[in-house]
């Protein structure tokens, strides 16, 4: 039941501009394109993204303000000229760097830059200079480079990491923010992390950034940490270090902090917690820090604001990792669900608020919620009863015909049915035969497999259900799946059981046939 | 979870979050500020004047002023006017270059603290520390904030260099404006301050005798405004 951390390896992230000039259609097309790429990457276990901080007006400034060619790659000679310091005033040098930064959005220029002798040295020189504006512009150039897809370009930034980290102990919020996102982007390359960032003390530095009073710095630290924590090696090298520094408690605090202002902060640290929890490095520590009830409380609070006001933009991005954290902690072997006892039913209701509010736009939240519902109901008869209440249960049943949700809905119903005769009787009454027959008509093998499981539990605990099932031509519905090799055995066993139960009382012991399944 | 759609959404949001700078709330604030800034700029040319003594630089936005101030006037050595990117680096500098007892103490025990703030190690000499920084922390050999305080003849006093072999030093203009600011600037105090004081008692823990210290202009424990120049303060014995 634990979700795998999305493994990071080679860069998938590409560069896209998100300027104000894009039309909605373009944005949609872009989103679809990205989504397709991410989905295929997900299958390969390579979910890697980088975040780009860029100021719109600057882009427009360069775009509009200078003549043609601004969007074209910059030639080697021009890169060299832009970097040269001789005979230039600060204003002129800032302009040169701006032009360079604009060029560095192109792969070609990135390659030209890293191959040009001494270029990184000069850029770092500007970055560490005491000319404030020049320094910022150089930092933005480094940020562009960090956003490159090519690992070679990212590795070329290695000499800058000690300075990027040094400035995180400074006082300039704008520079810190830029350094944090640059480091977060660089952290995608495992080599950079192992070779430089960890030895240079990135974890303690990020820990101090988390204490910053500035939301932008907190969010940047969260982003950088989440990038570190989702790498493949995180479980061995990074997560123990992060837990050892006591960061999980601060993360929890920031996830639950002022959501009206710091939604971005909460999102970043919620993902951090998720990556830590699903690594299972030391979940008993997180349990001891009351992570489960605290996040459960957060979900309840979020749901209650959602019922009264329109949900904040992007709330789903927070709900998703928090729901996962709670689900994963519930799935831990040690019994920590007891901690949730008092609020469990509130949480159950919160889950339904999310399901209703996020449908149909954010189906992925519904999936996460159903999974949480599954973990909540797995060992808790009282919650199973609560689930059957008339204000919740119909919403659950409705999800059966939602393609991505049907298996999960049936799994939750199996949890209920497994609790024994009383629950099966209620289930039989409330869901009824039409539901079971309708579920059997689903085209998804996995779903049908789950229906067979459910039917078996129902018949076993509440034989009346079997009688009704046979009377309503349930056996014929089962027959349709007989040709399916994957399901055949179960189908046949269930037909046998149902027929026996529906037949006038004989000596056939129920348990014996049940074992066939 | 049974589905990784949530991960896809997360990464989509990361990739599409371009052009933002710290969340929507901040963006709005910035936009408002921009508008206000533009209006103000129309009325008066330079909106922000750096109040630091002898600086006098002007800035069109509060961000660039804040950044300038943080960079140049927050962690400044009172004696040699060098500014440092962090309090830790300034403290280390003050201790090593402006604490007259330092040399004496360094002879008795390891006193050169690692420049990585989270690292507790101390070393016999700055050379040993440098080796440690390179070997353990993968720092560059020419780490910019580990350069010795130079005597009077400083690079920054020379006219802008054409020499491409030393492109790391980019402090020229600031020096023109306020000669004391450059990080590469040598100490304004004489070298005598840095030399070990022969007549001093060599008890490492005793507070330094006040008369032999370079006098800070401001009591070391006091910071004005957003932060101010800091002078030497005894780090050895604080009650």
């Amino acid at each position: 039941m634990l979700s795998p951390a999305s493994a990071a390896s080679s860069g998938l992230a590409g560069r896209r501009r998100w300027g104000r000039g894009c039309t909605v259609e373009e944005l949609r097309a872009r989103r679809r394109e990205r989504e397709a790429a991410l989905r295929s990457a997900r299958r390969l276990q390579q979910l890697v993204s980088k975040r780009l901080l860029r100021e719109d007006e600057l882009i427009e400034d360069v775009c509009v303000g200078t003549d043609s060619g601004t969007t074209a790659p910059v030639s080697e000679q021009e890169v060299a000229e832009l970097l040269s310091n001789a005979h230039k005033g600060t204003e002129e040098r800032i302009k040169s760097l701006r032009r360079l930064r604009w060029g560095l959005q192109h792969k070609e220029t990135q390659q030209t830059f890293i191959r040009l002798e001494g270029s990184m040295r000069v850029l770092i020189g500007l970055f560490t200079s005491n000319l404030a504006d020049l320094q910022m512009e150089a930092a933005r150039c480094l940020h562009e480079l960090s956003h490159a897809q090519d690992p070679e370009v990212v590795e070329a930034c290695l000499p800058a990491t000690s300075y990027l980290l040094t400035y995180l102990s400074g006082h300039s919020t704008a520079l810190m923010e830029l350094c944090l996102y640059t480091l977060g982007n660089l952290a995608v390359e495992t080599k950079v992390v192992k070779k430089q960032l960890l030895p240079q003390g990135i974890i303690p530095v990020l820990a101090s950034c988390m204490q910053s009073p500035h939301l932008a710095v907190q969010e940047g630290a969260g982003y950088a940490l989440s990038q570190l924590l989702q790498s493949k090696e995180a479980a061995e090298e990074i997560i123990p270090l992060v837990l050892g520094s006591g960061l999980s408690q601060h993360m929890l605090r920031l996830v639950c902090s002022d959501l009206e202002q710091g939604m971005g902060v909460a999102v970043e640290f919620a993902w951090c917690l998720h990556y830590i929890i699903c690594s299972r490095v030391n979940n008993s520590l997180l349990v001891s820090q009351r992570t489960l009830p605290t996040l459960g409380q957060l979900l309840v609070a979020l749901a209650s604001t959602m019922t009264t006001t329109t949900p904040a933009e992007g709330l789903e991005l927070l709900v998703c990792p928090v729901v996962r954290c709670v689900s994963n902690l519930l799935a831990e072997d040690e019994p920590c669900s007891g901690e949730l006892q008092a609020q469990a039913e509130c949480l159950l209701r919160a889950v339904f608020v999310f399901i209703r509010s996020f449908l149909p736009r954010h189906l992925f939240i519904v999936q996460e919620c159903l999974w949480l519902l599954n973990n909540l109901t797995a060992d808790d008869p009282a919650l199973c009863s609560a689930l059957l209440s008339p204000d919740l249960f119909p919403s659950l049943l409705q999800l059966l015909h939602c393609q991505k949700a049907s298996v999960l809905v049936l799994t939750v119903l199996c949890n209920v049915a497994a609790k024994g005769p009383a629950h099966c009787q209620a289930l039989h009454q409330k869901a009824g035969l039409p539901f079971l027959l309708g579920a059997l008509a689903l085209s998804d093998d996995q779903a049908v497999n789950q229906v067979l499981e459910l039917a078996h539990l129902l018949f076993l605990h509440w034989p009346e259900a079997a009688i009704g099932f046979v009377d309503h031509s349930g056996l014929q519905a089962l027959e349709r799946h007989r040709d399916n090799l994957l399901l055949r055995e179960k189908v046949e066993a269930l037909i046998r059981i149902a027929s026996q139960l529906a037949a006038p009382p004989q000596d056939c012991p129920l348990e014996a046939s049940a074992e066939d399944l | 979870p049974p589905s990784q759609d949530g991960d896809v959404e997360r990464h989509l949001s990361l990739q599409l979050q371009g052009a933002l700078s710290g969340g929507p709330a901040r963006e709005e604030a910035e936009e408002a500020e921009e508008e206000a800034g533009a209006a103000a700029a129309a009325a008066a040319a330079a909106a922000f004047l750096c109040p630091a003594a002898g600086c006098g630089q002007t800035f069109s936005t509060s961000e660039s002023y804040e950044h300038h101030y943080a960079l140049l006037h927050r962690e400044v050595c009172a004696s040699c006017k060098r500014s440092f990117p962090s309090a830790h680096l300034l403290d280390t500098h003050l201790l090593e270059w402006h604490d007259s007892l330092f040399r004496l103490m360094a002879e008795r025990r390891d006193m050169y603290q690692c420049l990585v703030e989270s690292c507790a190690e101390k070393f016999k000499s700055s050379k040993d520390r440098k080796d440690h920084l390179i070997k353990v922390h993968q720092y560059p050999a020419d780490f910019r904030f580990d350069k010795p305080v130079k005597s009077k003849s400083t690079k920054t006093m020379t006219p802008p260099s054409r020499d491409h072999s030393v492109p790391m030093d980019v402090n020229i203009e600031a020096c023109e404006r306020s000669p004391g600011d450059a990080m590469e600037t040598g100490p304004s105090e004489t070298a005598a301050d840095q030399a070990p004081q022969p007549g001093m008692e060599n008890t490492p823990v005793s507070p330094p005798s006040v008369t032999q210290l370079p006098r800070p202009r401001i009591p070391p424990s006091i910071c004005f405004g957003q932060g101010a120049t800091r002078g030497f303060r005894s780090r050895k014995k604080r009650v």
Side-chain angles (χ1 to χ4, degrees), chain A residues 421-437:
Chain A
H423 284 88
C424 282
Q425 185 190 6
L427 206 55
H428 181 57
Q429 273 173 5
K430 291 174 194 227
L433 280 174
F435 174 80
L436 210 53
L437 293 169

